[in-house]
Amino acid sequence: MKIVQLITCIDLGGAENMVFNLCEYAKNNQPGDELVIYEIHSSNTTYSRQKKQELRSRGITFKTIGNRYKYMSLLVAPFLLLLLLRKEKPSIVHAHTDLPDFVLAMTLRMMSRPAFQIFRTIHNTELWSTHYLACKLTEASCHDDTMIAVSAAAAIAYQQIRNRYQLKATGKQHMIYNGVPVPSPEPHPFQLDPERINILFAGRLELQKGIDLLLEVLTELPEEWQSKFSFHIAGDGSFRKQVEELVKTRQHIHYYPTVINLSNKLYPFRYVLMPSRFEGLGLLSVEASLAGIPVAACRVAGLEETLPHEWPLWAETPATGDLFQLLQKMYTNDAAYEQLQERSAEWVKERFQLDKMGKDYFNLYHSFQKTNG
């Protein structure tokens, strides 16, 4: 059975990472199935280039529908996707996040009766905060799809957006937590300070991830705290310039462009910090816990499900005042560090196994195949 995984582009992102893991699972466990990645547009980042080389080396097929220009690709992608689907004849087209949903929806409007089943995974808790019309067109085109939410919070977000447009939700709803492979330590590029508590922020340098809040906290950090903590920021995005400017004036702050296979390089840190405003499911939190690194995070939908109940390292809201308090908690809870490691590792191992995610997805894929003979 051929299954198309439709993503925005092969680059940093939790949704994309989940697709890569699912393709890897299929390669190792589903010899009768073929997963193919279609990206809407290409990316020329270092991470993207390295990831594509890795996918090729592992025998995972991917195709670029458009070009490196995002908005031009969105215009032509529905037509090119239509041609590809007619040629490839997949059994299932599985879209991930809003732009792939939009491209697939526009393609469906050019088809009288699709010969494939539509799957969508909802990866976030904030859906289509802008572009009202594009969202309405997308959701109106998806009425008999199979919907998979990556968390309970993401499932609620899906229902809310269907209610917004007075559309009936699909009757085929499921929740599958993203599975994460157990990290295998690799050499890392980080400049660690053995005299300080080393803290990592990693991900897209965007408002969703709270990088602006972190920069504000680091700018105002008292001098006595600067001697306690060493902050490491890894990633890329629209706040990159602000990060680079701050690093020039602070010896205890370090910046690294995108780090390939980051999950295998978390082990030297004392904590991972996630000041996110919202998440579909915070995969970095799961990866850190599996690597034995406690996570300090904002208590927001999509992150709450990744850490144990009564976790001591929460910031109650994504605000600078609460982040300052969180840093204090990290300092005072350091004495109970081993207990934090054990609690979080046990929690994620019970819920976010890669094999379980793979089996759950392929059970759904194959149930469609049985239904259709």
PDB file of all heavy atoms in Angstrom, residues 100-135:
ATOM      1  N   PRO A 100      -0.242  22.016   4.431  1.00  0.00           N
ATOM      2  CA  PRO A 100      -0.563  20.790   3.686  1.00  0.00           C
ATOM      3  C   PRO A 100      -2.065  20.511   3.637  1.00  0.00           C
ATOM      4  O   PRO A 100      -2.570  20.056   2.604  1.00  0.00           O
ATOM      5  CB  PRO A 100       0.186  19.703   4.473  1.00  0.00           C
ATOM      6  CG  PRO A 100       1.351  20.422   5.060  1.00  0.00           C
ATOM      7  CD  PRO A 100       0.812  21.767   5.450  1.00  0.00           C
ATOM      8  N   ASP A 101      -2.780  20.787   4.734  1.00  0.00           N
ATOM      9  CA  ASP A 101      -4.240  20.634   4.708  1.00  0.00           C
ATOM     10  C   ASP A 101      -4.849  21.516   3.627  1.00  0.00           C
ATOM     11  O   ASP A 101      -5.744  21.098   2.886  1.00  0.00           O
ATOM     12  CB  ASP A 101      -4.839  21.029   6.069  1.00  0.00           C
ATOM     13  CG  ASP A 101      -4.676  19.955   7.128  1.00  0.00           C
ATOM     14  OD1 ASP A 101      -4.233  18.833   6.788  1.00  0.00           O
ATOM     15  OD2 ASP A 101      -4.985  20.227   8.298  1.00  0.00           O
ATOM     16  N   PHE A 102      -4.368  22.765   3.533  1.00  0.00           N
ATOM     17  CA  PHE A 102      -4.890  23.707   2.543  1.00  0.00           C
ATOM     18  C   PHE A 102      -4.618  23.231   1.121  1.00  0.00           C
ATOM     19  O   PHE A 102      -5.513  23.239   0.265  1.00  0.00           O
ATOM     20  CB  PHE A 102      -4.268  25.090   2.767  1.00  0.00           C
ATOM     21  CG  PHE A 102      -4.575  26.081   1.681  1.00  0.00           C
ATOM     22  CD1 PHE A 102      -5.829  26.678   1.601  1.00  0.00           C
ATOM     23  CD2 PHE A 102      -3.616  26.414   0.731  1.00  0.00           C
ATOM     24  CE1 PHE A 102      -6.120  27.597   0.584  1.00  0.00           C
ATOM     25  CE2 PHE A 102      -3.892  27.319  -0.280  1.00  0.00           C
ATOM     26  CZ  PHE A 102      -5.150  27.914  -0.353  1.00  0.00           C
ATOM     27  N   VAL A 103      -3.386  22.819   0.851  1.00  0.00           N
ATOM     28  CA  VAL A 103      -3.024  22.347  -0.498  1.00  0.00           C
ATOM     29  C   VAL A 103      -3.856  21.122  -0.868  1.00  0.00           C
ATOM     30  O   VAL A 103      -4.384  21.024  -1.982  1.00  0.00           O
ATOM     31  CB  VAL A 103      -1.521  22.041  -0.573  1.00  0.00           C
ATOM     32  CG1 VAL A 103      -1.183  21.287  -1.854  1.00  0.00           C
ATOM     33  CG2 VAL A 103      -0.718  23.335  -0.495  1.00  0.00           C
ATOM     34  N   LEU A 104      -3.995  20.189   0.066  1.00  0.00           N
ATOM     35  CA  LEU A 104      -4.804  18.999  -0.211  1.00  0.00           C
ATOM     36  C   LEU A 104      -6.258  19.375  -0.450  1.00  0.00           C
ATOM     37  O   LEU A 104      -6.910  18.832  -1.361  1.00  0.00           O
ATOM     38  CB  LEU A 104      -4.691  18.009   0.954  1.00  0.00           C
ATOM     39  CG  LEU A 104      -5.505  16.724   0.827  1.00  0.00           C
ATOM     40  CD1 LEU A 104      -5.144  15.956  -0.435  1.00  0.00           C
ATOM     41  CD2 LEU A 104      -5.305  15.837   2.051  1.00  0.00           C
ATOM     42  N   ALA A 105      -6.777  20.311   0.321  1.00  0.00           N
ATOM     43  CA  ALA A 105      -8.175  20.740   0.161  1.00  0.00           C
ATOM     44  C   ALA A 105      -8.405  21.345  -1.221  1.00  0.00           C
ATOM     45  O   ALA A 105      -9.427  21.079  -1.874  1.00  0.00           O
ATOM     46  CB  ALA A 105      -8.542  21.743   1.246  1.00  0.00           C
ATOM     47  N   MET A 106      -7.463  22.184  -1.682  1.00  0.00           N
ATOM     48  CA  MET A 106      -7.607  22.790  -3.006  1.00  0.00           C
ATOM     49  C   MET A 106      -7.517  21.726  -4.110  1.00  0.00           C
ATOM     50  O   MET A 106      -8.187  21.831  -5.144  1.00  0.00           O
ATOM     51  CB  MET A 106      -6.538  23.866  -3.218  1.00  0.00           C
ATOM     52  CG  MET A 106      -6.644  25.065  -2.272  1.00  0.00           C
ATOM     53  SD  MET A 106      -8.263  25.908  -2.321  1.00  0.00           S
ATOM     54  CE  MET A 106      -9.082  25.195  -0.892  1.00  0.00           C
ATOM     55  N   THR A 107      -6.695  20.722  -3.873  1.00  0.00           N
ATOM     56  CA  THR A 107      -6.597  19.616  -4.831  1.00  0.00           C
ATOM     57  C   THR A 107      -7.910  18.838  -4.881  1.00  0.00           C
ATOM     58  O   THR A 107      -8.389  18.476  -5.973  1.00  0.00           O
ATOM     59  CB  THR A 107      -5.437  18.677  -4.438  1.00  0.00           C
ATOM     60  OG1 THR A 107      -4.224  19.432  -4.385  1.00  0.00           O
ATOM     61  CG2 THR A 107      -5.279  17.552  -5.455  1.00  0.00           C
ATOM     62  N   LEU A 108      -8.495  18.583  -3.731  1.00  0.00           N
ATOM     63  CA  LEU A 108      -9.752  17.835  -3.674  1.00  0.00           C
ATOM     64  C   LEU A 108     -10.863  18.556  -4.424  1.00  0.00           C
ATOM     65  O   LEU A 108     -11.757  17.911  -4.999  1.00  0.00           O
ATOM     66  CB  LEU A 108     -10.165  17.615  -2.214  1.00  0.00           C
ATOM     67  CG  LEU A 108      -9.271  16.675  -1.396  1.00  0.00           C
ATOM     68  CD1 LEU A 108      -9.694  16.683   0.068  1.00  0.00           C
ATOM     69  CD2 LEU A 108      -9.321  15.264  -1.967  1.00  0.00           C
ATOM     70  N   ARG A 109     -10.825  19.879  -4.429  1.00  0.00           N
ATOM     71  CA  ARG A 109     -11.862  20.651  -5.126  1.00  0.00           C
ATOM     72  C   ARG A 109     -11.784  20.489  -6.642  1.00  0.00           C
ATOM     73  O   ARG A 109     -12.715  20.844  -7.360  1.00  0.00           O
ATOM     74  CB  ARG A 109     -11.769  22.130  -4.740  1.00  0.00           C
ATOM     75  CG  ARG A 109     -12.266  22.396  -3.322  1.00  0.00           C
ATOM     76  CD  ARG A 109     -12.088  23.835  -2.890  1.00  0.00           C
ATOM     77  NE  ARG A 109     -12.690  24.040  -1.586  1.00  0.00           N
ATOM     78  CZ  ARG A 109     -13.949  24.444  -1.371  1.00  0.00           C
ATOM     79  NH1 ARG A 109     -14.730  24.698  -2.414  1.00  0.00           N
ATOM     80  NH2 ARG A 109     -14.421  24.594  -0.150  1.00  0.00           N
ATOM     81  N   MET A 110     -10.656  19.958  -7.132  1.00  0.00           N
ATOM     82  CA  MET A 110     -10.511  19.710  -8.564  1.00  0.00           C
ATOM     83  C   MET A 110     -10.805  18.257  -8.929  1.00  0.00           C
ATOM     84  O   MET A 110     -10.630  17.856 -10.078  1.00  0.00           O
ATOM     85  CB  MET A 110      -9.095  20.085  -9.016  1.00  0.00           C
ATOM     86  CG  MET A 110      -8.790  21.573  -8.918  1.00  0.00           C
ATOM     87  SD  MET A 110      -7.144  21.983  -9.560  1.00  0.00           S
ATOM     88  CE  MET A 110      -6.101  21.488  -8.178  1.00  0.00           C
ATOM     89  N   MET A 111     -11.225  17.472  -7.948  1.00  0.00           N
ATOM     90  CA  MET A 111     -11.469  16.050  -8.168  1.00  0.00           C
ATOM     91  C   MET A 111     -12.939  15.743  -7.886  1.00  0.00           C
ATOM     92  O   MET A 111     -13.500  16.219  -6.895  1.00  0.00           O
ATOM     93  CB  MET A 111     -10.582  15.195  -7.255  1.00  0.00           C
ATOM     94  CG  MET A 111      -9.112  15.520  -7.355  1.00  0.00           C
ATOM     95  SD  MET A 111      -8.088  14.567  -6.191  1.00  0.00           S
ATOM     96  CE  MET A 111      -8.062  12.967  -7.007  1.00  0.00           C
ATOM     97  N   SER A 112     -13.550  14.956  -8.743  1.00  0.00           N
ATOM     98  CA  SER A 112     -14.950  14.602  -8.523  1.00  0.00           C
ATOM     99  C   SER A 112     -15.098  13.578  -7.405  1.00  0.00           C
ATOM    100  O   SER A 112     -15.953  13.696  -6.527  1.00  0.00           O
ATOM    101  CB  SER A 112     -15.574  14.070  -9.817  1.00  0.00           C
ATOM    102  OG  SER A 112     -14.832  12.941 -10.293  1.00  0.00           O
ATOM    103  N   ARG A 113     -14.248  12.573  -7.422  1.00  0.00           N
ATOM    104  CA  ARG A 113     -14.295  11.527  -6.392  1.00  0.00           C
ATOM    105  C   ARG A 113     -12.884  10.982  -6.189  1.00  0.00           C
ATOM    106  O   ARG A 113     -12.393  10.196  -7.002  1.00  0.00           O
ATOM    107  CB  ARG A 113     -15.255  10.413  -6.787  1.00  0.00           C
ATOM    108  CG  ARG A 113     -15.349   9.312  -5.732  1.00  0.00           C
ATOM    109  CD  ARG A 113     -16.356   8.256  -6.136  1.00  0.00           C
ATOM    110  NE  ARG A 113     -17.710   8.779  -6.202  1.00  0.00           N
ATOM    111  CZ  ARG A 113     -18.773   8.037  -6.539  1.00  0.00           C
ATOM    112  NH1 ARG A 113     -18.616   6.760  -6.855  1.00  0.00           N
ATOM    113  NH2 ARG A 113     -19.965   8.582  -6.567  1.00  0.00           N
ATOM    114  N   PRO A 114     -12.217  11.369  -5.108  1.00  0.00           N
ATOM    115  CA  PRO A 114     -10.843  10.886  -4.888  1.00  0.00           C
ATOM    116  C   PRO A 114     -10.797   9.366  -4.774  1.00  0.00           C
ATOM    117  O   PRO A 114     -11.681   8.745  -4.179  1.00  0.00           O
ATOM    118  CB  PRO A 114     -10.454  11.542  -3.564  1.00  0.00           C
ATOM    119  CG  PRO A 114     -11.400  12.678  -3.381  1.00  0.00           C
ATOM    120  CD  PRO A 114     -12.671  12.273  -4.055  1.00  0.00           C
ATOM    121  N   ALA A 115      -9.753   8.781  -5.335  1.00  0.00           N
ATOM    122  CA  ALA A 115      -9.579   7.326  -5.266  1.00  0.00           C
ATOM    123  C   ALA A 115      -8.743   6.925  -4.058  1.00  0.00           C
ATOM    124  O   ALA A 115      -8.355   5.771  -3.927  1.00  0.00           O
ATOM    125  CB  ALA A 115      -8.910   6.835  -6.545  1.00  0.00           C
ATOM    126  N   PHE A 116      -8.474   7.882  -3.181  1.00  0.00           N
ATOM    127  CA  PHE A 116      -7.662   7.611  -2.004  1.00  0.00           C
ATOM    128  C   PHE A 116      -8.403   8.073  -0.748  1.00  0.00           C
ATOM    129  O   PHE A 116      -9.302   8.914  -0.812  1.00  0.00           O
ATOM    130  CB  PHE A 116      -6.302   8.326  -2.094  1.00  0.00           C
ATOM    131  CG  PHE A 116      -6.409   9.795  -2.430  1.00  0.00           C
ATOM    132  CD1 PHE A 116      -6.642  10.747  -1.435  1.00  0.00           C
ATOM    133  CD2 PHE A 116      -6.295  10.227  -3.750  1.00  0.00           C
ATOM    134  CE1 PHE A 116      -6.752  12.084  -1.750  1.00  0.00           C
ATOM    135  CE2 PHE A 116      -6.401  11.575  -4.072  1.00  0.00           C
ATOM    136  CZ  PHE A 116      -6.629  12.504  -3.069  1.00  0.00           C
ATOM    137  N   GLN A 117      -7.995   7.538   0.382  1.00  0.00           N
ATOM    138  CA  GLN A 117      -8.538   7.943   1.666  1.00  0.00           C
ATOM    139  C   GLN A 117      -7.737   9.130   2.206  1.00  0.00           C
ATOM    140  O   GLN A 117      -6.513   9.201   2.036  1.00  0.00           O
ATOM    141  CB  GLN A 117      -8.482   6.778   2.659  1.00  0.00           C
ATOM    142  CG  GLN A 117      -8.943   7.096   4.066  1.00  0.00           C
ATOM    143  CD  GLN A 117     -10.445   7.297   4.164  1.00  0.00           C
ATOM    144  OE1 GLN A 117     -11.163   7.047   3.201  1.00  0.00           O
ATOM    145  NE2 GLN A 117     -10.909   7.743   5.314  1.00  0.00           N
ATOM    146  N   ILE A 118      -8.430  10.049   2.874  1.00  0.00           N
ATOM    147  CA  ILE A 118      -7.784  11.250   3.405  1.00  0.00           C
ATOM    148  C   ILE A 118      -7.560  11.082   4.906  1.00  0.00           C
ATOM    149  O   ILE A 118      -8.500  10.796   5.659  1.00  0.00           O
ATOM    150  CB  ILE A 118      -8.649  12.499   3.151  1.00  0.00           C
ATOM    151  CG1 ILE A 118      -8.886  12.679   1.648  1.00  0.00           C
ATOM    152  CG2 ILE A 118      -7.985  13.739   3.744  1.00  0.00           C
ATOM    153  CD1 ILE A 118     -10.061  13.575   1.335  1.00  0.00           C
ATOM    154  N   PHE A 119      -6.318  11.272   5.320  1.00  0.00           N
ATOM    155  CA  PHE A 119      -5.953  11.294   6.739  1.00  0.00           C
ATOM    156  C   PHE A 119      -5.387  12.673   7.066  1.00  0.00           C
ATOM    157  O   PHE A 119      -4.683  13.271   6.254  1.00  0.00           O
ATOM    158  CB  PHE A 119      -4.887  10.239   7.047  1.00  0.00           C
ATOM    159  CG  PHE A 119      -5.419   8.847   7.260  1.00  0.00           C
ATOM    160  CD1 PHE A 119      -6.115   8.181   6.261  1.00  0.00           C
ATOM    161  CD2 PHE A 119      -5.207   8.188   8.466  1.00  0.00           C
ATOM    162  CE1 PHE A 119      -6.592   6.896   6.449  1.00  0.00           C
ATOM    163  CE2 PHE A 119      -5.682   6.897   8.666  1.00  0.00           C
ATOM    164  CZ  PHE A 119      -6.382   6.251   7.656  1.00  0.00           C
ATOM    165  N   ARG A 120      -5.700  13.153   8.247  1.00  0.00           N
ATOM    166  CA  ARG A 120      -5.089  14.396   8.731  1.00  0.00           C
ATOM    167  C   ARG A 120      -4.650  14.208  10.176  1.00  0.00           C
ATOM    168  O   ARG A 120      -5.420  13.686  10.979  1.00  0.00           O
ATOM    169  CB  ARG A 120      -6.069  15.576   8.665  1.00  0.00           C
ATOM    170  CG  ARG A 120      -6.472  15.997   7.272  1.00  0.00           C
ATOM    171  CD  ARG A 120      -7.062  17.405   7.276  1.00  0.00           C
ATOM    172  NE  ARG A 120      -8.296  17.497   8.024  1.00  0.00           N
ATOM    173  CZ  ARG A 120      -8.814  18.654   8.461  1.00  0.00           C
ATOM    174  NH1 ARG A 120      -8.173  19.797   8.264  1.00  0.00           N
ATOM    175  NH2 ARG A 120      -9.961  18.656   9.098  1.00  0.00           N
ATOM    176  N   THR A 121      -3.436  14.637  10.490  1.00  0.00           N
ATOM    177  CA  THR A 121      -3.013  14.668  11.878  1.00  0.00           C
ATOM    178  C   THR A 121      -2.988  16.118  12.342  1.00  0.00           C
ATOM    179  O   THR A 121      -2.397  16.984  11.687  1.00  0.00           O
ATOM    180  CB  THR A 121      -1.623  14.030  12.063  1.00  0.00           C
ATOM    181  OG1 THR A 121      -1.721  12.622  11.791  1.00  0.00           O
ATOM    182  CG2 THR A 121      -1.130  14.211  13.488  1.00  0.00           C
ATOM    183  N   ILE A 122      -3.638  16.378  13.468  1.00  0.00           N
ATOM    184  CA  ILE A 122      -3.672  17.713  14.062  1.00  0.00           C
ATOM    185  C   ILE A 122      -2.519  17.804  15.043  1.00  0.00           C
ATOM    186  O   ILE A 122      -2.489  17.104  16.061  1.00  0.00           O
ATOM    187  CB  ILE A 122      -5.016  17.968  14.775  1.00  0.00           C
ATOM    188  CG1 ILE A 122      -6.187  17.696  13.815  1.00  0.00           C
ATOM    189  CG2 ILE A 122      -5.067  19.393  15.316  1.00  0.00           C
ATOM    190  CD1 ILE A 122      -6.198  18.544  12.568  1.00  0.00           C
ATOM    191  N   HIS A 123      -1.571  18.676  14.730  1.00  0.00           N
ATOM    192  CA  HIS A 123      -0.326  18.744  15.495  1.00  0.00           C
ATOM    193  C   HIS A 123      -0.259  19.925  16.447  1.00  0.00           C
ATOM    194  O   HIS A 123       0.757  20.093  17.130  1.00  0.00           O
ATOM    195  CB  HIS A 123       0.873  18.848  14.541  1.00  0.00           C
ATOM    196  CG  HIS A 123       1.167  17.593  13.780  1.00  0.00           C
ATOM    197  ND1 HIS A 123       2.019  16.608  14.257  1.00  0.00           N
ATOM    198  CD2 HIS A 123       0.730  17.158  12.572  1.00  0.00           C
ATOM    199  CE1 HIS A 123       2.103  15.633  13.373  1.00  0.00           C
ATOM    200  NE2 HIS A 123       1.335  15.934  12.340  1.00  0.00           N
ATOM    201  N   ASN A 124      -1.294  20.759  16.498  1.00  0.00           N
ATOM    202  CA  ASN A 124      -1.175  21.962  17.310  1.00  0.00           C
ATOM    203  C   ASN A 124      -2.473  22.263  18.036  1.00  0.00           C
ATOM    204  O   ASN A 124      -3.523  21.681  17.724  1.00  0.00           O
ATOM    205  CB  ASN A 124      -0.767  23.164  16.450  1.00  0.00           C
ATOM    206  CG  ASN A 124       0.286  24.010  17.128  1.00  0.00           C
ATOM    207  OD1 ASN A 124       0.287  24.169  18.355  1.00  0.00           O
ATOM    208  ND2 ASN A 124       1.208  24.561  16.350  1.00  0.00           N
ATOM    209  N   THR A 125      -2.390  23.192  18.976  1.00  0.00           N
ATOM    210  CA  THR A 125      -3.586  23.596  19.729  1.00  0.00           C
ATOM    211  C   THR A 125      -4.071  24.979  19.311  1.00  0.00           C
ATOM    212  O   THR A 125      -5.118  25.420  19.758  1.00  0.00           O
ATOM    213  CB  THR A 125      -3.291  23.611  21.243  1.00  0.00           C
ATOM    214  OG1 THR A 125      -2.164  24.461  21.495  1.00  0.00           O
ATOM    215  CG2 THR A 125      -2.976  22.206  21.737  1.00  0.00           C
ATOM    216  N   GLU A 126      -3.296  25.653  18.463  1.00  0.00           N
ATOM    217  CA  GLU A 126      -3.701  26.935  17.877  1.00  0.00           C
ATOM    218  C   GLU A 126      -3.765  26.727  16.373  1.00  0.00           C
ATOM    219  O   GLU A 126      -2.732  26.649  15.710  1.00  0.00           O
ATOM    220  CB  GLU A 126      -2.705  28.041  18.236  1.00  0.00           C
ATOM    221  CG  GLU A 126      -2.659  28.409  19.699  1.00  0.00           C
ATOM    222  CD  GLU A 126      -3.838  29.271  20.123  1.00  0.00           C
ATOM    223  OE1 GLU A 126      -4.400  29.973  19.255  1.00  0.00           O
ATOM    224  OE2 GLU A 126      -4.197  29.233  21.307  1.00  0.00           O
ATOM    225  N   LEU A 127      -4.971  26.646  15.822  1.00  0.00           N
ATOM    226  CA  LEU A 127      -5.145  26.327  14.414  1.00  0.00           C
ATOM    227  C   LEU A 127      -5.658  27.544  13.652  1.00  0.00           C
ATOM    228  O   LEU A 127      -6.665  28.131  14.032  1.00  0.00           O
ATOM    229  CB  LEU A 127      -6.127  25.157  14.245  1.00  0.00           C
ATOM    230  CG  LEU A 127      -5.792  23.875  15.028  1.00  0.00           C
ATOM    231  CD1 LEU A 127      -6.901  22.852  14.847  1.00  0.00           C
ATOM    232  CD2 LEU A 127      -4.457  23.308  14.581  1.00  0.00           C
ATOM    233  N   TRP A 128      -4.953  27.912  12.600  1.00  0.00           N
ATOM    234  CA  TRP A 128      -5.401  28.985  11.719  1.00  0.00           C
ATOM    235  C   TRP A 128      -5.782  30.241  12.508  1.00  0.00           C
ATOM    236  O   TRP A 128      -6.912  30.711  12.451  1.00  0.00           O
ATOM    237  CB  TRP A 128      -6.592  28.534  10.879  1.00  0.00           C
ATOM    238  CG  TRP A 128      -6.282  27.502   9.846  1.00  0.00           C
ATOM    239  CD1 TRP A 128      -6.478  26.157   9.956  1.00  0.00           C
ATOM    240  CD2 TRP A 128      -5.732  27.711   8.543  1.00  0.00           C
ATOM    241  NE1 TRP A 128      -6.071  25.511   8.816  1.00  0.00           N
ATOM    242  CE2 TRP A 128      -5.612  26.449   7.914  1.00  0.00           C
ATOM    243  CE3 TRP A 128      -5.321  28.836   7.838  1.00  0.00           C
ATOM    244  CZ2 TRP A 128      -5.107  26.293   6.637  1.00  0.00           C
ATOM    245  CZ3 TRP A 128      -4.813  28.685   6.559  1.00  0.00           C
ATOM    246  CH2 TRP A 128      -4.716  27.425   5.970  1.00  0.00           C
ATOM    247  N   SER A 129      -4.835  30.804  13.238  1.00  0.00           N
ATOM    248  CA  SER A 129      -5.092  32.042  13.972  1.00  0.00           C
ATOM    249  C   SER A 129      -5.265  33.228  13.024  1.00  0.00           C
ATOM    250  O   SER A 129      -5.793  34.268  13.398  1.00  0.00           O
ATOM    251  CB  SER A 129      -3.961  32.320  14.967  1.00  0.00           C
ATOM    252  OG  SER A 129      -2.706  32.325  14.307  1.00  0.00           O
ATOM    253  N   THR A 130      -4.809  33.075  11.774  1.00  0.00           N
ATOM    254  CA  THR A 130      -5.019  34.087  10.728  1.00  0.00           C
ATOM    255  C   THR A 130      -5.600  33.380   9.499  1.00  0.00           C
ATOM    256  O   THR A 130      -5.854  32.189   9.516  1.00  0.00           O
ATOM    257  CB  THR A 130      -3.708  34.785  10.357  1.00  0.00           C
ATOM    258  OG1 THR A 130      -2.762  33.806   9.896  1.00  0.00           O
ATOM    259  CG2 THR A 130      -3.112  35.501  11.573  1.00  0.00           C
ATOM    260  N   HIS A 131      -5.844  34.115   8.419  1.00  0.00           N
ATOM    261  CA  HIS A 131      -6.293  33.565   7.138  1.00  0.00           C
ATOM    262  C   HIS A 131      -7.635  32.834   7.291  1.00  0.00           C
ATOM    263  O   HIS A 131      -7.754  31.632   7.026  1.00  0.00           O
ATOM    264  CB  HIS A 131      -5.233  32.623   6.536  1.00  0.00           C
ATOM    265  CG  HIS A 131      -3.911  33.295   6.303  1.00  0.00           C
ATOM    266  ND1 HIS A 131      -2.907  33.300   7.247  1.00  0.00           N
ATOM    267  CD2 HIS A 131      -3.444  33.985   5.235  1.00  0.00           C
ATOM    268  CE1 HIS A 131      -1.863  33.971   6.773  1.00  0.00           C
ATOM    269  NE2 HIS A 131      -2.169  34.398   5.563  1.00  0.00           N
ATOM    270  N   TYR A 132      -8.624  33.583   7.700  1.00  0.00           N
ATOM    271  CA  TYR A 132      -9.964  33.032   7.963  1.00  0.00           C
ATOM    272  C   TYR A 132     -10.525  32.300   6.744  1.00  0.00           C
ATOM    273  O   TYR A 132     -11.037  31.186   6.864  1.00  0.00           O
ATOM    274  CB  TYR A 132     -10.899  34.172   8.378  1.00  0.00           C
ATOM    275  CG  TYR A 132     -12.322  33.756   8.662  1.00  0.00           C
ATOM    276  CD1 TYR A 132     -12.727  33.445   9.960  1.00  0.00           C
ATOM    277  CD2 TYR A 132     -13.275  33.690   7.635  1.00  0.00           C
ATOM    278  CE1 TYR A 132     -14.040  33.068  10.232  1.00  0.00           C
ATOM    279  CE2 TYR A 132     -14.575  33.310   7.898  1.00  0.00           C
ATOM    280  CZ  TYR A 132     -14.960  33.002   9.189  1.00  0.00           C
ATOM    281  OH  TYR A 132     -16.253  32.622   9.444  1.00  0.00           O
ATOM    282  N   LEU A 133     -10.442  32.919   5.561  1.00  0.00           N
ATOM    283  CA  LEU A 133     -11.037  32.328   4.359  1.00  0.00           C
ATOM    284  C   LEU A 133     -10.324  31.040   3.963  1.00  0.00           C
ATOM    285  O   LEU A 133     -10.967  30.040   3.616  1.00  0.00           O
ATOM    286  CB  LEU A 133     -11.004  33.324   3.200  1.00  0.00           C
ATOM    287  CG  LEU A 133     -11.614  32.832   1.875  1.00  0.00           C
ATOM    288  CD1 LEU A 133     -13.065  32.423   2.065  1.00  0.00           C
ATOM    289  CD2 LEU A 133     -11.486  33.897   0.798  1.00  0.00           C
ATOM    290  N   ALA A 134      -8.983  31.042   4.011  1.00  0.00           N
ATOM    291  CA  ALA A 134      -8.230  29.838   3.653  1.00  0.00           C
ATOM    292  C   ALA A 134      -8.594  28.688   4.583  1.00  0.00           C
ATOM    293  O   ALA A 134      -8.750  27.545   4.156  1.00  0.00           O
ATOM    294  CB  ALA A 134      -6.731  30.119   3.729  1.00  0.00           C
ATOM    295  N   CYS A 135      -8.755  28.999   5.861  1.00  0.00           N
ATOM    296  CA  CYS A 135      -9.143  27.966   6.824  1.00  0.00           C
ATOM    297  C   CYS A 135     -10.536  27.429   6.525  1.00  0.00           C
ATOM    298  O   CYS A 135     -10.764  26.216   6.549  1.00  0.00           O
ATOM    299  CB  CYS A 135      -9.092  28.534   8.238  1.00  0.00           C
ATOM    300  SG  CYS A 135      -9.610  27.366   9.501  1.00  0.00           S
TER     301      CYS A 135
END
